[in-house]
Amino acid sequence: MTSQLFAICFRATRPSELARFWSGVLGWEVAGGADESAAILSPDGTGYRIRFLPGQEPKTGQNRAHFDLTSASPEDQRQTVARALEFGGRHIDVGQLPEEGHVVLADPDGNEFCVIEPGNKFLADTSFIGALACDGTQAVGYFWSAALRWPLVWDQDEETAIQSPDGGTKITWGGPPVAPKTGPNRLSFELALLSGTGQEAEIDRLVSLGATRPESSRADDSDEGRVLMFDPDGNEFFVQGPRL
């Protein structure tokens, strides 16, 4: 059985505060977490969750991944931006041009995200979180397509995108040039197995697809059995133990 995308994880200086921000912007429910962590769940209870885990690493440069939020109308876009600012977000400049229709913001922890203008055809068949837009190679897009068994929905000019067969958020990779990695990513994937699936067998499958595993990486009961791995671009991700 393949891994499932259980969570998109943020490393945050104040996890509970960041969870409240994203809960307010997205309208997702805050769920209790262990120790200082927190999570938010989509209203329909399906798909992935967003987890906020404690991390004190300073932010250096732009994140390798950010959310693109969709809009149904110009007023809807304005309301999303206003809601984000109300909950503690801010406008930022990442080099966007004045004529571009999307709005670039940062959450209270400095993580970039975009509120996309209405009429974006690429995100027309997605959810409110239209995309997790990543800086990455074509090879890493192929890896995650095989790892999650999500089909490629875009593969052109070394840019790739995948989407669950059930629809929802697309995960995209912009192709070269890929900015050098300067430290642990603030955003990472957490995969989980269904009950009865062997964790080591799934890790071996991911390695056969191009992932790597640190020599010291092992399941740790104190950390929910999460095993650290790296995708072909060197991005951290975690394989969670079977969930009942």
Side-chain angles (χ1 to χ4, degrees):
M1 180 64 184
T2 187
S3 300
Q4 295 183 335
L5 179 60
F6 175 69
I8 295 173
C9 301
F10 283 75
R11 287 287 178 184
T13 55
R14 299 177 299 278
S16 60
E17 292 183 22
L18 202 59
R20 284 194 292 271
F21 170 83
W22 282 105
S23 172
V25 172
L26 299 176
W28 289 24
E29 178 184 356
V30 176
D35 301 324
E36 298 178 354
S37 67
I40 59 174
L41 310 176
S42 63
D44 59 10
T46 61
Y48 60 86
R49 62 187 62 195
I50 303 175
R51 297 187 70 197
F52 304 90
L53 307 173
Q56 300 301 322
E57 297 86 357
K59 190 172 187 299
T60 57
Q62 294 180 30
N63 289 340
R64 272 193 165 189
H66 69 269
F67 285 141
D68 284 340
L69 307 183
T70 59
S71 304
S73 67
E75 179 59 24
D76 184 41
Q77 184 184 29
R78 287 190 290 269
Q79 289 179 358
T80 299
V81 171
R83 191 163 62 249
L85 298 176
E86 176 186 354
F87 282 104
R90 58 186 173 87
H91 288 277
I92 59 170
D93 182 1
V94 296
Q96 67 270 30
L97 300 175
E99 62 268 24
E100 293 179 307
H102 64 279
V103 179
V104 184
L105 302 171
D107 68 21
D109 223 26
N111 301 301
E112 305 86 1
F113 66 100
C114 295
V115 184
I116 305 299
E117 68 278 10
N120 184 291
K121 294 182 179 179
F122 182 69
L123 301 180
D125 59 344
T126 62
S127 54
F128 185 25
I129 303 179
L132 179 68
C134 306
D135 191 16
T137 63
Q138 184 182 55
V140 85
Y142 290 173
F143 166 80
W144 282 109
S145 176
L148 296 175
R149 293 195 171 99
W150 287 14
L152 283 162
V153 294
W154 181 264
D155 185 11
Q156 184 173 314
D157 300 327
E158 298 190 66
E159 298 177 353
T160 52
I162 63 175
Q163 187 179 31
S164 167
D166 299 323
T169 302
K170 291 178 177 177
I171 305 176
T172 72
W173 293 270
V178 178
K181 193 168 183 293
T182 58
N185 290 334
R186 281 195 164 194
L187 277 72
S188 60
F189 296 149
E190 181 173 343
L191 310 184
L193 311 178
L194 297 178
S195 179
T197 304
Q199 189 178 34
E200 287 300 323
E202 176 60 6
I203 288 170
D204 288 344
R205 185 183 75 91
L206 294 168
V207 169
S208 75
L209 295 175
T212 56
R213 180 179 180 182
E215 289 295 328
S216 59
S217 180
R218 62 182 178 83
D220 184 346
D221 291 338
S222 67
D223 195 23
E224 304 173 328
R226 299 165 83 236
V227 173
L228 170 66
M229 301 189 74
F230 296 92
D231 71 18
D233 277 0
N235 301 301
E236 302 88 352
F237 70 96
F238 300 87
V239 180
Q240 172 70 272
R243 305 193 68 82
L244 300 177

